[in-house]
Every structure is written in C-alpha cells, then in structure tokens.
Amino acid sequence: MTLFSYEIFDAVARQGSFNKAAQQLHLTPSAISHAIAVMEEELGFALFNRGKNGVSMTSYGASLYPSIRDVLNSDEALKQSIARLNGLEKGKVKLGVFNSVCASLLPGLLKSFAAHYPQIEIEVYQGTYDDVKEWLRTGQVDIAFLSSTCREEFSLTELFREPLLCIVPQDWPEPQDGVMTPALMNGQSFVVQCDATDAEMRQFLKKYKIGTERRCHVIDDQSNIAMVEAGLGISIMPQMLLRDCKAAVKVYPIEPEEYRVVGLAVQRPASMAPAVEQMFHHIVEYCHELDLTL
C-alpha cells in the first residue's frame, strides 16, 4: 500500500462517503471505490461496510485507523521539518475543540495565529468532550482543548481556570448575599446536557449530593441558556459561556467556589511537528495573556 492509499482511507473514514472523499481528493467516486477495493484485497479483509446511507469502518478498519493516522502524521511532520530547514513556516495543524472554546475563544486566537504564521493552515474540528478525546486518540487532530475531567487519560497543559456559575430565570427569588449555594439548588429542576458536554455540572451535583429534577436534556450551550430563560429550570455553566450572554437570565456566583480547568493536550508531546509546536506555544501564550473575567 502507498501513502496515497492511506490518504484515501483517511478521507473515506472522515467523510463516511466515497463521493465526499472523491470531492475532497479531486478524484472520481469510482477511483476511490477501486482504491479501497485494492487495499481490501491486499489485506485480506473488508475495511468498510457499504450501505445506502454511506460507508462506515469495519472493526478491522477501525483497528488499523490509528496506525494509518500515525503514518500520515509522520509524513506531515517530515514535510514541516523540511520546510523549517528551508527557513519557511509551513504546515497544517488539526485542532480539536469543544463548543464553548470554539464560540468564545477560538475566533480571536485563530486571527492572532494567522497574523504571525500566515503559511500554516489550521483545520478546526468542533465536538463534545468525548468527540475531541476520540479524535486525539486516533490522531485525527494534533492538538485538543480538553477540560480537567479528562486529566486521567491525557497530560494537560493548563491554559486557564474559570468559575462555574449558576444561571436562573429572571423571576427567580434573589438568594441571600446574591450567592447560590448547594442547599439552594437541591431539589430544583435543572437543565442539563449530555454527559459528553456537561461533565463539570455532573461532578458538581455529585460532589454536593444535590438531588434534582431533570426535565430538559439538551445538546448545546445556547439551548441550555434558552431553556433557563423560558423558566424550565436552572443550570450550572462555565463563566466563558456567559461573558456575552444577552438572554433574560440572572447569573450568580456559587459558594463554595468550583472551577472548570481548561487545558491543552497533544497526541505525541515529545515529537510534535514544527507547525503543531508553533500552534501549541501560541495557544498557551495567547490564553495566559487573555483576560477571561466577566
């Protein structure tokens, strides 16, 4: 198998479609199909399941995918090292981010990076904590923003910590001293997100043994805020999400204070490609200089 066949495998795995992979690589769908068939014949097993709604990796294909990504990442690192020796700052960096970072932090960060390194291409992949972790494991992204809830699995370079805040509907009675406590939250209706996006809230509720009614289960931050605004419950959210909040909600600090820690992880810390290393250090410096207060 050639490096190009690995690129075809990667494109099909990412796109879940021969047609979309063909568009990405500027080939015909039949050329993509033929290349995959040749790989499968050479290997002796199927790499993809074909269906009406696209293709998906077989268990054999999924087990090979991390190794194929390693080959492609090594090739990219080699190209970047050669470019660096020629005095050029070139390359591609694939960045995995979760929703709040993508919406609040990333636009300014990417603009700043592009001003310093215009020749380095950045690809952004947005998803849940679980999505980003899986992309980092398999090498689909080079750098990942993660929260401290992922610390057991990855070594994180801390970027910043932000307090968790409680948001309530406008008609919520004013708490004493303008502060929410676990006792005041106990037994209330909560708007929650799925485990993959709401890990900090779930840790908080578990830590303080807060019983809740969970009537609204949503999948994104803006829906969370909208449900609270409509009076359907209260919620706990990181400060970053509420900096520019225009919704008709009240925001209160929580005592005792609890924080979300946001950090940066890479797949192979000891062997980052030059462009990945540049991006990593730029993100760290950018976040340390940024005022993340409300």
Side-chain angles (χ1 to χ4, degrees), residues 17 77 121 148:
S17 162
E121 180 184 350
S148 57

mmCIF file of all heavy atoms in Angstrom, residues 17 77 121 148:
data_model
loop_
_atom_site.group_PDB
_atom_site.id
_atom_site.type_symbol
_atom_site.label_atom_id
_atom_site.label_comp_id
_atom_site.label_asym_id
_atom_site.label_seq_id
_atom_site.Cartn_x
_atom_site.Cartn_y
_atom_site.Cartn_z
ATOM 1 N N SER A 17 -18.232 8.554 3.201
ATOM 2 C CA SER A 17 -18.833 8.510 1.871
ATOM 3 C C SER A 17 -17.734 8.482 0.809
ATOM 4 O O SER A 17 -16.771 9.256 0.891
ATOM 5 C CB SER A 17 -19.726 9.734 1.662
ATOM 6 O OG SER A 17 -20.002 9.964 0.301
ATOM 7 N N ALA A 77 4.751 15.713 9.448
ATOM 8 C CA ALA A 77 5.833 16.230 10.294
ATOM 9 C C ALA A 77 7.132 16.333 9.501
ATOM 10 O O ALA A 77 7.897 17.294 9.657
ATOM 11 C CB ALA A 77 6.025 15.329 11.516
ATOM 12 N N GLU A 121 -1.625 26.269 7.837
ATOM 13 C CA GLU A 121 -3.064 26.045 7.664
ATOM 14 C C GLU A 121 -3.637 25.381 8.917
ATOM 15 O O GLU A 121 -3.062 24.428 9.439
ATOM 16 C CB GLU A 121 -3.288 25.145 6.448
ATOM 17 C CG GLU A 121 -4.742 24.833 6.165
ATOM 18 C CD GLU A 121 -4.911 23.872 5.004
ATOM 19 O OE1 GLU A 121 -3.905 23.608 4.302
ATOM 20 O OE2 GLU A 121 -6.035 23.367 4.820
ATOM 21 N N SER A 148 -10.337 19.525 32.657
ATOM 22 C CA SER A 148 -9.623 18.715 33.642
ATOM 23 C C SER A 148 -10.321 17.397 33.920
ATOM 24 O O SER A 148 -9.726 16.496 34.513
ATOM 25 C CB SER A 148 -9.460 19.502 34.947
ATOM 26 O OG SER A 148 -10.730 19.911 35.432
#
